[in-house]
Amino acid sequence: MIDSSLQADRKYGDPPAYQDHFYRSSDDRLTLYARIYESDGPPLLLMHGLTRNSADFEGLAAHLAGRYRLIIADQRGRGRSDYDPEPEYYTPATYANDMMTLINGLQINSLGLIGTSMGGLMAMMMAAAQPQRFDSLILNDVGPVVEQEGLDRIQSYVGALAPFESWQQAADHCRKVHGDVMVGYGDQDWLGFARRTCEQLPGGSIKFAYDPSISAGLSGNEQTAVPPDLWPIWDQLTAIPTLIIHGGLSDIIARATIAEMQKRHSGPISAVEIAYRGHAPMLDEPAALAAIDPFLQDIGR
């Protein structure tokens, strides 16, 4: 039986207020955007997956706002950030450099990282580059090995699509693509999912809120969207307290990978599986929140 909490439409009440923050990219070619939920609490940088944007974390932000200062970016080519006219820069290394520019500009010297999918890859790269700067790491459905089956599935739906005629049509498409991995979502959930991942054009039609060219890194033999070998990077993170959240239906991270990550990590590390979720949990699931809260509290955030 499916947990009834997974079937309920997700309503977060009045959403917490955030400030719009615009800044220049690491290569000074683009203007990028981030939401900042101000607080006197410790800072956390939240980074979304390949086709998502800052709205992807609205549920988690509603839960954490007020206790933490949340910085949630739209990576280049997504949401309110500029599209890059040179698609070869759509890589995790470039995004990670952009995030370093963002937190440097905000004069944040110590913070925690939360990364979903591609955002998790970025988090590992950033933490390996400056391990003394990042005091915690939450990885959502990603690790040093990314399963080819999952990459193939993502490649099958990322790219240019004809605009949708209505929000309902967009929601129906999202249900068709992700319904098997978001078990228990109802009609209003899918409409909310569409509104977070899509945007309305001036003429009224609806499109996904990303540059179709972000798919360039998923095509061909180079696979530039995923670094070739992340185990050496992972092995540099052993002192950073880490929480791994993964979907029970995930085709991106295998349980064997999670076991190896735990084996090779000498510091505090834990993992939680989210039932009825594939790639990737939204981090608003009760099991995810029940893991995130004590993890952040235990490390003094």
Side-chain angles (χ1 to χ4, degrees):
M1 180 180 295
I2 298 173
D3 186 339
S4 61
S5 67
L6 293 173
Q7 295 176 305
D9 293 341
R10 283 145 190 84
K11 299 180 178 65
Y12 308 119
D14 293 332
Y18 59 84
Q19 296 180 4
D20 295 331
H21 178 73
F22 293 92
Y23 64 102
R24 295 296 289 174
S25 60
S26 55
D27 51 17
D28 199 29
R29 296 170 46 247
L30 308 171
T31 297
L32 305 182
Y33 170 80
R35 300 182 181 193
I36 299 182
Y37 295 78
E38 288 291 2
S39 168
D40 292 333
L44 297 169
L45 175 65
L46 286 67
M47 297 173 288
H48 60 72
L50 180 69
T51 63
R52 307 294 179 83
N53 58 73
S54 56
D56 208 44
F57 291 107
E58 284 183 351
L60 181 58
H63 182 76
L64 296 178
R67 293 181 287 154
Y68 302 94
R69 186 188 188 198
L70 307 177
I71 300 97
I72 312 180
D74 287 345
Q75 302 303 326
R76 62 173 68 194
R78 286 86 165 171
R80 298 175 67 182
S81 288
D82 285 349
Y83 289 8
D84 198 322
E86 301 181 45
E88 63 267 27
Y89 289 102
Y90 286 140
T91 67
T94 302
Y95 307 141
N97 287 336
D98 289 339
M99 294 301 94
M100 290 295 197
T101 297
L102 170 60
I103 60 177
N104 287 342
L106 293 171
Q107 299 182 332
I108 300 174
N109 296 319
S110 178
L111 69 160
L113 298 175
I114 301 176
T116 293
S117 189
M118 180 190 77
L121 299 179
M122 295 160 53
M124 286 189 283
M125 297 166 70
M126 294 169 66
Q130 296 187 24
Q132 74 287 350
R133 190 171 192 176
F134 303 104
D135 57 22
S136 62
L137 189 60
I138 298 178
L139 301 177
N140 183 20
D141 214 61
V142 73
V145 177
V146 179
E147 299 298 314
Q148 189 61 47
E149 176 187 0
L151 283 176
D152 291 343
R153 179 181 55 80
I154 293 171
Q155 186 174 354
S156 72
Y157 67 76
V158 177
L161 287 174
F164 304 110
E165 295 179 0
S166 66
W167 282 109
Q168 186 58 57
Q169 189 180 76
D172 291 343
H173 177 85
C174 292
R175 186 199 300 260
K176 180 180 178 181
V177 172
H178 300 288
D180 290 344
V181 298
M182 306 296 286
V183 179
Y185 262 38
D187 292 343
Q188 290 304 308
D189 294 318
W190 287 115
L191 188 59
F193 188 97
R195 290 188 179 276
R196 290 191 299 273
T197 55
C198 299
E199 60 188 357
Q200 191 164 30
L201 299 173
S205 59
I206 312 296
K207 67 175 285 291
F208 281 106
Y210 65 77
D211 181 355
S213 295
I214 65 170
S215 64
L218 287 173
S219 60
N221 297 322
E222 192 174 354
Q223 294 293 339
T224 55
V226 180
D229 183 5
L230 279 171
W231 283 118
I233 289 179
W234 176 253
D235 290 338
Q236 298 178 58
L237 310 179
T238 58
I240 300 177
T242 300
L243 170 63
I244 305 166
I245 297 174
H246 65 104
L249 306 175
S250 178
D251 58 2
I252 285 291
I253 186 169
R255 291 180 177 87
T257 298
I258 295 170
E260 183 67 14
M261 292 169 73
Q262 293 176 297
K263 179 181 177 181
R264 295 165 75 146
H265 197 280
S266 60
I269 187 168
S270 57
V272 61
E273 181 173 302
I274 310 302
Y276 309 112
R277 290 290 178 268
H279 185 73
M282 294 300 298
L283 301 183
D284 62 356
E285 297 87 356
L289 298 177
I292 291 170
D293 279 343
F295 172 78
L296 293 176
Q297 292 168 5
D298 286 348
I299 58 173
R301 297 208 65 79

